[in-house]
Amino acid sequence: MGCDLNDHADGTEELNKHITVCLTVLKKLDLYWRHSDDTVRRRLVVYDAAARSKLVYGLESIQLAESAQEKLDIFQR
């Protein structure tokens, strides 16, 4: 559990790794969303469980710089 830090205790690399994993999950979810007839609410629940959890897991224990926090906010939008 937790996160991996580099020698400078910078969380930017860890954030980038999480974003990359999340993008992979989103590409897989795109197939699901295109071929399912689920409601928007159900799709948001699936997104929250699959993609968002991958993104934020372990990041709660890391101190992100303001630029990294902005990058995270932009990605989540």
Side-chain angles (χ1 to χ4, degrees):
M1 285 211 291
C3 60
D4 295 326
L5 294 176
N6 59 13
D7 294 339
H8 304 288
D10 182 19
T12 306
E13 288 181 37
E14 183 72 11
L15 177 62
N16 291 337
K17 186 170 59 171
H18 282 257
I19 288 174
T20 302
V21 169
C22 188
L23 284 172
T24 305
V25 170
L26 286 174
K27 286 181 183 179
K28 291 178 182 177
L29 282 176
D30 187 47
L31 290 172
Y32 163 70
W33 288 328
R34 275 197 249 162
H35 300 290
S36 74
D37 58 350
D38 283 344
T39 64
V40 172
R41 181 180 177 154
R42 175 70 179 159
R43 291 177 186 197
L44 288 173
V45 168
V46 170
Y47 162 78
D48 191 43
R52 197 167 130 221
S53 63
K54 286 278 190 186
L55 179 64
V56 298
Y57 179 77
L59 293 180
E60 67 271 358
S61 61
I62 193 171
Q63 181 71 29
L64 292 174
E66 190 170 327
S67 61
Q69 289 177 359
E70 289 174 9
K71 184 177 184 175
L72 180 61
D73 289 340
I74 290 168
F75 180 77
Q76 284 187 328
R77 284 188 212 137

